[in-house]
Amino acid sequence: MALPVREQVTYWGIAAAVFLVLLWFLGNVITPFVIGMAVAYFLDPVADRLERLGLSRAGATVAITAGAVVIFVAVALLVLPTLIQQAISLVNAAPEIARQVQAFLVERFPTLNDNGSPISRTLAGIGDTVQSRGGEVLNGVIASLASIVNVVVLLVLVPVITFYLLLDWDRMVAQVDRLLPLDHAPQVRQLAGEIDRTLAGFIRGQGTVCLILGIYYAAALSLLGLKYGLVVGFTAGIISFIPYVGAIVGGALAIGLALFQFWGEWWFIAGAAAIFVAGQMIEGNVLTPKLVGGSVGLHPVWLIFALAAFGSVFGFVGMLVAVPVAAVLGVMARFGIAQYRESRLYRGLAALEDARDGSGKDEDAA
């Protein structure tokens, strides 16, 4: 006999509470394990494809891990120092950029030359504010990364955890499947499949799109000769998981910087704009249809809320688990709504009439 709904809710509520408590108290400890699990989940389809090509699971895991380590080391040595240097340089240059904006506006609108005007005071304070706050943010980010994702975690612990999780991924999934409650196993498998499709579409698909766009924007702006092009392009790629936001923010920054660096050389300014227009066309017509497909069921506003809420409460590890938790809650919400629309609470008298019609048909058939 299946457990009553009230008892099932109690047990699942206890499991959710235990998960949140562990996340709260063991955040820094479980961070490398969460990262390793995310990387293993991302790379599992690659391992499956290599297996279909003839490699063993162990051979596929070794090949993927070796390739990932080589790519990570290359990026860390070649790109990361330049990226950090450009970010710091951009923050330090903010006061001078603000003064150039003020001079540009005063030249065309002389009435703004009044030092007591609100616009003048605002423009004068923007640069110093960005420099001070931006420096604090950069120092905080660097310090947080240094304390959470230290050298040992990056170079030893995460690759080791990822290797073993990727090696045993299919067996772990099969073991979890065998532990499902028998009465509810089909429904749980259906919900798990929807969650997997949502995560696969977002994390694997949209993550790959963001990576490709970040590389494209950073490389194109750097080839154009734009100062800080690497950090602007990288930032635009990261936030491209929100539709149009990456292109709008990155395009505004790139065009704004190009106006001061290439003033009078309009082809360079037009080139900066064309880079982001081309990026949007490539994303909308090629990358997103092929890598993401249809709707993945994660609304941008819901995703931003999940990242902000979990990041605020649980810190860095909370941001890592925000997307999976958001996907689970989204699928469960849609399932709950579907159940509600089939219930007597929603359908009212129509449900009773359908029940009577069904019983009448059964009697006639008998």
Side-chain angles (χ1 to χ4, degrees):
M1 180 177 179
L3 287 176
V5 175
R6 181 175 298 178
E7 291 189 30
Q8 294 184 42
V9 171
T10 300
Y11 288 132
W12 286 113
I14 292 173
V18 170
F19 169 76
L20 294 176
V21 169
L22 291 176
L23 200 64
W24 176 271
F25 286 103
L26 301 177
N28 292 342
V29 176
I30 65 176
T31 295
F33 298 91
V34 174
I35 296 175
M37 183 174 294
V39 175
Y41 176 79
F42 186 88
L43 295 176
D44 179 61
V46 181
D48 292 339
R49 178 164 296 186
L50 290 177
E51 281 189 280
R52 289 194 294 270
L53 293 176
L55 288 178
S56 65
R57 185 70 182 192
T61 303
V62 170
I64 293 172
T65 304
V69 170
V70 170
I71 293 173
F72 173 79
V73 172
V75 170
L77 294 178
L78 300 177
V79 178
L80 195 59
T82 304
L83 186 65
I84 294 175
Q85 181 182 3
Q86 285 197 8
I88 295 173
S89 179
L90 179 59
V91 169
N92 292 332
E96 180 59 29
I97 294 175
R99 282 191 289 269
Q100 291 181 16
V101 172
Q102 185 176 6
F104 176 82
L105 293 176
V106 167
E107 181 180 349
R108 285 152 182 79
F109 306 99
T111 56
L112 295 178
N113 198 29
D114 181 11
N115 291 330
S117 67
I119 296 178
S120 179
R121 291 197 303 269
T122 300
L123 290 173
I126 285 176
D128 294 330
T129 301
V130 171
Q131 184 181 30
S132 60
R133 299 299 182 187
E136 292 176 5
V137 170
L138 283 175
N139 291 334
V141 169
I142 294 172
S144 298
L145 290 176
S147 61
I148 297 175
V149 191
N150 51 54
V151 176
V152 175
V153 170
L154 289 176
L155 299 181
V156 179
L157 200 52
V158 168
V160 170
I161 293 172
T162 302
F163 177 86
Y164 284 108
L165 287 176
L166 188 59
L167 181 65
D168 295 326
W169 190 268
D170 292 340
R171 280 181 286 181
M172 289 189 300
V173 172
Q175 184 63 36
V176 171
D177 182 78
R178 285 194 291 270
L179 295 176
L180 294 178
L182 297 180
D183 289 337
H184 306 288
Q187 189 67 66
V188 172
R189 291 190 186 104
Q190 179 184 347
L191 293 175
E194 293 181 18
I195 293 170
D196 179 65
R197 285 190 294 272
T198 301
L199 287 177
F202 186 85
I203 295 180
R204 294 175 183 149
Q206 194 63 52
T208 304
V209 170
C210 291
L211 178 62
I212 294 173
L213 287 177
I215 294 173
Y216 161 72
Y217 288 141
L221 292 175
S222 299
L223 290 174
L224 187 67
L226 182 69
K227 290 182 180 178
Y228 320 117
L230 189 65
V231 66
V232 171
F234 181 74
T235 302
I238 286 180
I239 61 177
S240 291
F241 66 91
I242 308 174
Y244 303 108
V245 171
I248 292 174
V249 173
L253 284 173
I255 294 171
L257 292 171
L259 284 172
F260 296 104
Q261 182 178 345
F262 303 119
W263 182 256
E265 300 177 286
W266 300 107
W267 51 90
F268 284 107
I269 300 171
I275 287 171
F276 284 89
V277 172
Q280 275 297 286
M281 294 178 62
I282 294 171
E283 177 187 4
N285 298 316
V286 179
L287 296 179
T288 299
K290 290 185 176 297
L291 298 177
V292 180
S295 174
V296 297
L298 282 179
H299 194 279
V301 175
W302 170 238
L303 181 65
I304 293 172
F305 173 78
L307 289 169
F310 274 78
S312 175
V313 176
F314 301 108
F316 182 71
V317 71
M319 297 183 68
L320 293 177
V321 302
V323 172
V325 171
V328 171
L329 293 179
V331 171
M332 295 303 296
R334 291 192 292 273
F335 174 73
I337 292 172
Q339 295 294 108
Y340 164 69
R341 291 176 66 89
E342 294 294 327
S343 68
R344 290 180 58 184
L345 177 62
Y346 173 75
R347 301 182 64 195
L349 295 176
L352 294 176
E353 293 175 359
D354 290 345
R356 283 196 292 266
D357 291 342
S359 61
K361 292 179 180 177
D362 292 340
E363 292 176 0
D364 293 341

